[in-house]
Protein backbone atom coordinates (compact mmCIF):
# COMPACT_ATOMS: atom_id res chain seq x y z
CA UNK A 1 0.00 0.00 0.00
CA UNK A 2 2.88 2.35 0.79
CA UNK A 3 4.54 1.62 -2.56
CA UNK A 4 1.33 1.75 -4.63
CA UNK A 5 0.17 5.00 -3.04
CA UNK A 6 3.60 6.54 -3.39
CA UNK A 7 4.19 5.58 -7.02
CA UNK A 8 0.73 6.58 -8.22
CA UNK A 9 1.01 9.86 -6.33
CA UNK A 10 4.45 10.57 -7.75
CA UNK A 11 3.22 10.25 -11.34
CA UNK A 12 0.77 13.06 -10.75
CA UNK A 13 2.97 15.07 -8.41
CA UNK A 14 5.73 15.39 -11.03
CA UNK A 15 3.34 17.36 -13.24
CA UNK A 16 2.49 19.69 -10.38
CA UNK A 17 6.13 20.17 -9.38
CA UNK A 18 7.27 21.04 -12.90
CA UNK A 19 4.61 23.68 -13.43
CA UNK A 20 4.39 25.83 -16.53
CA UNK A 21 8.06 26.72 -16.45
CA UNK A 22 9.17 23.07 -16.26
CA UNK A 23 11.08 23.42 -13.05
CA UNK A 24 12.81 21.68 -11.38
CA UNK A 25 14.55 19.60 -14.05
CA UNK A 26 14.42 15.80 -14.18
CA UNK A 27 17.65 15.38 -12.24
CA UNK A 28 16.36 17.57 -9.43
CA UNK A 29 13.03 15.72 -9.36
CA UNK A 30 14.82 12.37 -9.08
CA UNK A 31 16.82 13.73 -6.15
CA UNK A 32 13.67 15.15 -4.55
CA UNK A 33 11.90 11.81 -4.77
CA UNK A 34 14.91 10.10 -3.20
CA UNK A 35 14.76 12.46 -0.23
CA UNK A 36 11.01 11.92 0.10
CA UNK A 37 11.34 8.12 0.05
CA UNK A 38 14.09 8.24 2.67
CA UNK A 39 12.06 10.68 4.73
CA UNK A 40 8.93 8.52 4.69
CA UNK A 41 10.68 5.23 5.48
CA UNK A 42 13.27 6.44 7.98
CA UNK A 43 10.98 9.02 9.56
CA UNK A 44 8.13 6.53 9.84
CA UNK A 45 10.37 3.89 11.40
CA UNK A 46 12.20 6.13 13.84
CA UNK A 47 8.93 7.86 14.69
CA UNK A 48 7.47 4.52 15.77
CA UNK A 49 10.64 3.56 17.61
CA UNK A 50 10.91 6.73 19.69
CA UNK A 51 7.27 7.78 20.01
CA UNK A 52 5.71 4.40 20.79
CA UNK A 53 8.31 1.88 22.01
CA UNK A 54 11.53 3.69 22.87
CA UNK A 55 12.45 1.60 25.93
CA UNK A 56 12.33 -1.67 24.01
CA UNK A 57 14.23 -0.49 20.96
CA UNK A 58 16.91 1.33 22.96
CA UNK A 59 17.50 -1.96 24.74
CA UNK A 60 17.43 -3.93 21.47
CA UNK A 61 18.80 -1.49 18.84
CA UNK A 62 19.22 -4.15 16.12
CA UNK A 63 15.45 -4.66 16.15
CA UNK A 64 15.10 -1.17 14.70
CA UNK A 65 16.31 -2.52 11.36
CA UNK A 66 13.54 -5.14 11.18
CA UNK A 67 10.97 -2.98 9.40
CA UNK A 68 9.36 -6.14 7.99
CA UNK A 69 8.09 -6.90 11.48
CA UNK A 70 5.98 -3.75 11.44
CA UNK A 71 6.12 -0.38 13.11
CA UNK A 72 5.83 2.78 10.98
CA UNK A 73 4.39 5.97 12.45
CA UNK A 74 2.63 8.38 10.10
CA UNK A 75 3.64 11.39 12.19
CA UNK A 76 7.26 10.27 11.98
CA UNK A 77 6.88 9.91 8.22
CA UNK A 78 5.54 13.47 8.06
CA UNK A 79 8.49 14.78 10.03
CA UNK A 80 10.83 12.76 7.79
CA UNK A 81 9.35 14.37 4.67
CA UNK A 82 9.76 17.83 6.20
CA UNK A 83 13.44 17.14 6.91
CA UNK A 84 14.01 15.59 3.47
CA UNK A 85 12.40 18.56 1.71
CA UNK A 86 14.42 21.00 3.81
CA UNK A 87 17.68 19.25 2.84
CA UNK A 88 16.66 19.21 -0.82
CA UNK A 89 15.69 22.90 -0.85
CA UNK A 90 18.86 23.84 1.01
CA UNK A 91 20.91 22.27 -1.78
CA UNK A 92 18.87 23.41 -4.80
CA UNK A 93 17.80 26.82 -3.43
CA UNK A 94 14.22 25.95 -4.35
CA UNK A 95 11.34 27.46 -2.36
CA UNK A 96 10.16 24.84 0.12
CA UNK A 97 6.69 26.41 0.30
CA UNK A 98 6.41 26.28 -3.49
CA UNK A 99 7.16 22.56 -3.34
CA UNK A 100 4.99 21.78 -0.34
CA UNK A 101 1.93 23.44 -1.85
CA UNK A 102 2.22 20.98 -4.73
CA UNK A 103 3.31 17.90 -2.81
CA UNK A 104 0.43 17.95 -0.36
CA UNK A 105 -2.08 17.56 -3.21
CA UNK A 106 -1.14 13.88 -3.53
CA UNK A 107 -0.21 13.06 0.08
CA UNK A 108 -3.86 12.33 1.00
CA UNK A 109 -4.02 9.75 -1.81
CA UNK A 110 -0.98 7.93 -0.43
CA UNK A 111 -2.57 8.08 3.04
CA UNK A 112 -5.77 6.63 1.56
CA UNK A 113 -3.82 3.63 0.24
CA UNK A 114 -1.92 3.13 3.48
CA UNK A 115 -5.09 3.03 5.58
CA UNK A 116 -6.46 0.28 3.34
CA UNK A 117 -3.27 -1.64 4.05
CA UNK A 118 -3.89 -1.14 7.77
CA UNK A 119 -7.44 -2.46 7.30
CA UNK A 120 -6.21 -5.61 5.57
CA UNK A 121 -3.63 -6.18 8.32
CA UNK A 122 -6.13 -5.58 11.15
CA UNK A 123 -3.96 -2.70 12.39
CA UNK A 124 -4.99 0.52 14.18
CA UNK A 125 -8.38 -0.95 15.05
CA UNK A 126 -11.33 0.93 16.48
CA UNK A 127 -13.09 0.49 19.79
CA UNK A 128 -15.95 -2.02 20.21
CA UNK A 129 -19.30 -0.83 18.85
CA UNK A 130 -22.78 -2.01 17.88
CA UNK A 131 -23.12 0.05 14.68
CA UNK A 132 -24.42 -2.02 11.70
CA UNK A 133 -21.21 -1.47 9.69
CA UNK A 134 -18.87 -2.71 12.43
CA UNK A 135 -15.99 -5.00 11.44
CA UNK A 136 -14.81 -8.09 13.29
CA UNK A 137 -11.01 -8.30 13.15
CA UNK A 138 -10.53 -12.04 13.66
CA UNK A 139 -6.77 -11.63 13.99
CA UNK A 140 -7.41 -9.56 17.12
CA UNK A 141 -10.63 -10.82 18.73
CA UNK A 142 -14.30 -11.51 17.94
CA UNK A 143 -15.68 -8.13 18.98
CA UNK A 144 -17.43 -5.89 16.42
CA UNK A 145 -15.39 -2.71 16.16
CA UNK A 146 -15.34 0.64 14.40
CA UNK A 147 -13.43 0.25 11.09
CA UNK A 148 -11.46 3.40 11.83
CA UNK A 149 -9.01 2.59 9.03
CA UNK A 150 -11.91 2.79 6.58
CA UNK A 151 -13.18 6.05 8.10
CA UNK A 152 -9.75 7.59 7.62
CA UNK A 153 -9.33 6.17 4.12
CA UNK A 154 -12.62 7.73 2.99
CA UNK A 155 -11.73 11.09 4.51
CA UNK A 156 -8.25 11.08 2.96
CA UNK A 157 -9.69 10.32 -0.48
CA UNK A 158 -12.07 13.26 0.02
CA UNK A 159 -9.07 15.44 0.89
CA UNK A 160 -7.31 14.33 -2.29
CA UNK A 161 -10.32 15.37 -4.39
CA UNK A 162 -10.65 18.63 -2.44
CA UNK A 163 -7.02 19.63 -2.83
CA UNK A 164 -7.03 18.67 -6.51
CA UNK A 165 -10.02 20.98 -7.01
CA UNK A 166 -8.45 23.79 -4.98
CA UNK A 167 -5.22 23.52 -6.96
CA UNK A 168 -7.04 23.58 -10.29
CA UNK A 169 -9.57 26.29 -9.49
CA UNK A 170 -8.46 28.37 -6.51
CA UNK A 171 -4.68 28.12 -6.05
CA UNK A 172 -4.11 31.63 -7.42
CA UNK A 173 -6.37 33.04 -4.70
CA UNK A 174 -3.89 32.13 -1.95
CA UNK A 175 -0.33 32.97 -1.09
CA UNK A 176 2.46 30.43 -0.76
CA UNK A 177 2.05 28.05 2.13
CA UNK A 178 -1.73 28.32 2.42
CA UNK A 179 -2.43 24.89 0.94
CA UNK A 180 0.25 23.32 3.10
CA UNK A 181 -1.30 24.95 6.17
CA UNK A 182 -4.82 23.90 5.23
CA UNK A 183 -3.60 20.35 4.70
CA UNK A 184 -2.04 20.21 8.18
CA UNK A 185 -5.19 21.57 9.85
CA UNK A 186 -7.63 19.26 8.03
CA UNK A 187 -5.47 16.13 7.96
CA UNK A 188 -4.24 16.19 11.54
CA UNK A 189 -7.39 17.79 12.94
CA UNK A 190 -9.36 14.82 11.64
CA UNK A 191 -6.68 12.45 12.90
CA UNK A 192 -6.93 14.02 16.37
CA UNK A 193 -10.68 13.43 16.47
CA UNK A 194 -10.47 9.90 15.11
CA UNK A 195 -8.12 8.84 17.90
CA UNK A 196 -11.07 8.97 20.32
CA UNK A 197 -12.57 6.02 18.41
CA UNK A 198 -9.39 3.92 18.27
CA UNK A 199 -7.80 1.47 20.63
CA UNK A 200 -4.47 2.67 21.99
CA UNK A 201 -1.54 1.25 20.07
CA UNK A 202 0.65 0.88 23.14
CA UNK A 203 -0.20 0.15 26.78
CA UNK A 204 1.51 3.29 28.15
CA UNK A 205 -1.03 5.49 26.34
CA UNK A 206 -3.73 4.45 28.82
CA UNK A 207 -2.05 6.63 31.46
CA UNK A 208 -2.05 9.73 29.21
CA UNK A 209 -4.88 12.31 29.09
CA UNK A 210 -4.82 11.96 25.29
CA UNK A 211 -3.01 9.31 23.29
CA UNK A 212 0.27 9.64 21.42
CA UNK A 213 -1.38 10.10 18.03
CA UNK A 214 -3.25 13.12 19.36
CA UNK A 215 -0.20 14.57 21.08
CA UNK A 216 1.78 14.33 17.85
CA UNK A 217 -1.05 15.86 15.81
CA UNK A 218 -1.19 19.07 17.84
CA UNK A 219 2.11 20.58 16.54
CA UNK A 220 1.06 19.91 12.93
CA UNK A 221 -2.29 21.64 13.52
CA UNK A 222 -0.59 24.66 15.10
CA UNK A 223 1.93 24.89 12.25
CA UNK A 224 -0.93 24.67 9.78
CA UNK A 225 -2.83 27.51 11.41
CA UNK A 226 0.30 29.66 11.44
CA UNK A 227 1.03 28.94 7.75
CA UNK A 228 -2.53 29.85 6.75
CA UNK A 229 -2.33 33.10 8.73
CA UNK A 230 1.11 33.89 7.29
CA UNK A 231 -0.09 33.23 3.76
CA UNK A 232 -3.14 35.45 4.21
CA UNK A 233 -0.99 38.29 5.59
CA UNK A 234 1.42 38.05 2.66
CA UNK A 235 -1.38 37.93 0.10
CA UNK A 236 -2.65 41.29 1.34
CA UNK A 237 0.57 42.92 0.16
CA UNK A 238 0.65 41.56 -3.40
CA UNK A 239 -1.69 42.27 -6.28
CA UNK A 240 -3.55 39.48 -8.17
CA UNK A 241 -1.17 39.47 -11.14
CA UNK A 242 1.81 38.93 -8.82
CA UNK A 243 -0.01 36.09 -7.07
CA UNK A 244 -0.65 34.32 -10.37
CA UNK A 245 2.97 34.77 -11.42
CA UNK A 246 4.16 33.46 -8.05
CA UNK A 247 2.07 30.29 -8.31
CA UNK A 248 3.06 29.61 -11.92
CA UNK A 249 6.77 30.30 -11.42
Amino acid sequence: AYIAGFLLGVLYCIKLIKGKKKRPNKKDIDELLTWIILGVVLGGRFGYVFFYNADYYLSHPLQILKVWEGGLASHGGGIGILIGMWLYCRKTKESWLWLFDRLIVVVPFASFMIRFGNLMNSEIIGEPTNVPWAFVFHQVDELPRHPTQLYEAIFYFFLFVLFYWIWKKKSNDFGKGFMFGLFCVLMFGFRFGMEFMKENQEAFEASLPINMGQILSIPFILVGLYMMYRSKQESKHINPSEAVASQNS
Side-chain angles (χ1 to χ4, degrees), residues 137-243:
F137 298 96
H138 296 291
Q139 297 181 36
V140 179
D141 54 32
E142 299 303 313
L143 297 175
R145 296 176 176 275
H146 281 291
T148 49
Q149 313 95 322
L150 192 58
Y151 298 163
E152 288 192 72
I154 293 171
F155 181 76
Y156 295 154
F157 187 78
F158 163 76
L159 279 190
F160 170 65
V161 174
L162 174 65
F163 278 101
Y164 175 81
W165 179 81
I166 291 176
W167 181 257
K168 285 291 186 180
K169 303 294 185 180
K170 300 290 184 178
S171 61
N172 291 331
D173 296 342
F174 310 116
K176 288 182 179 179
F178 181 86
M179 290 189 64
F180 171 57
L182 182 63
F183 164 80
C184 287
V185 172
L186 294 180
M187 184 87 161
F188 292 99
F190 181 79
R191 173 70 184 273
F192 185 94
M194 282 300 302
E195 292 297 321
F196 288 111
M197 303 178 68
K198 296 179 184 178
E199 293 283 7
N200 290 328
Q201 295 189 54
E202 299 294 337
F204 76 87
E205 293 178 280
S207 63
L208 301 175
I210 54 178
N211 68 23
M212 183 58 70
Q214 292 170 313
I215 292 172
L216 296 174
S217 293
I218 292 174
F220 284 93
I221 296 171
L222 294 177
V223 168
L225 291 172
Y226 168 75
M227 293 307 302
M228 292 172 68
Y229 172 78
R230 179 178 179 273
S231 174
K232 282 291 188 180
Q233 291 299 110
E234 288 187 353
S235 65
K236 292 179 181 179
H237 303 292
I238 59 177
N239 60 50
S241 60
E242 289 176 330

Side-chain angles (χ1 to χ4, degrees), residues 20-220:
K20 293 183 178 180
K21 291 190 176 181
K22 304 299 180 184
R23 91 170 203 258
N25 57 40
K26 184 179 184 301
K27 180 180 178 181
D28 288 338
I29 290 175
D30 289 342
E31 182 176 350
L32 172 62
L33 296 179
T34 300
W35 280 114
I36 292 175
I37 292 172
L38 289 173
V40 169
V41 176
L42 295 179
R45 183 56 173 171
F46 282 106
Y48 176 79
V49 166
F50 291 109
F51 296 149
Y52 289 97
N53 216 345
D55 290 342
Y56 171 77
Y57 284 106
L58 290 177
S59 300
H60 306 83
L62 292 180
Q63 296 297 316
I64 296 175
L65 302 177
K66 297 182 178 181
V67 294
W68 56 88
E69 293 184 357
L72 292 172
S74 57
H75 293 91
I79 294 172
I81 290 177
L82 289 172
I83 295 173
M85 295 279 281
W86 176 77
L87 291 171
Y88 169 83
C89 291
R90 183 182 181 187
K91 179 180 178 180
T92 62
K93 309 302 181 184
E94 185 61 85
S95 167
W96 70 275
L97 287 179
W98 184 90
L99 284 173
F100 265 122
D101 281 342
R102 287 155 175 77
L103 181 65
I104 57 90
V105 175
V106 299
V107 168
F109 180 78
S111 300
F112 160 78
M113 295 292 293
I114 290 168
R115 280 299 180 252
F116 265 109
N118 296 140
L119 181 66
M120 297 302 104
N121 270 354
S122 298
E123 301 165 341
I124 316 178
I125 59 174
E127 293 184 340
T129 181
N130 292 320
V131 296
W133 56 86
F135 278 40
V136 175
F137 298 96
H138 296 291
Q139 297 181 36
V140 179
D141 54 32
E142 299 303 313
L143 297 175
R145 296 176 176 275
H146 281 291
T148 49
Q149 313 95 322
L150 192 58
Y151 298 163
E152 288 192 72
I154 293 171
F155 181 76
Y156 295 154
F157 187 78
F158 163 76
L159 279 190
F160 170 65
V161 174
L162 174 65
F163 278 101
Y164 175 81
W165 179 81
I166 291 176
W167 181 257
K168 285 291 186 180
K169 303 294 185 180
K170 300 290 184 178
S171 61
N172 291 331
D173 296 342
F174 310 116
K176 288 182 179 179
F178 181 86
M179 290 189 64
F180 171 57
L182 182 63
F183 164 80
C184 287
V185 172
L186 294 180
M187 184 87 161
F188 292 99
F190 181 79
R191 173 70 184 273
F192 185 94
M194 282 300 302
E195 292 297 321
F196 288 111
M197 303 178 68
K198 296 179 184 178
E199 293 283 7
N200 290 328
Q201 295 189 54
E202 299 294 337
F204 76 87
E205 293 178 280
S207 63
L208 301 175
I210 54 178
N211 68 23
M212 183 58 70
Q214 292 170 313
I215 292 172
L216 296 174
S217 293
I218 292 174
F220 284 93

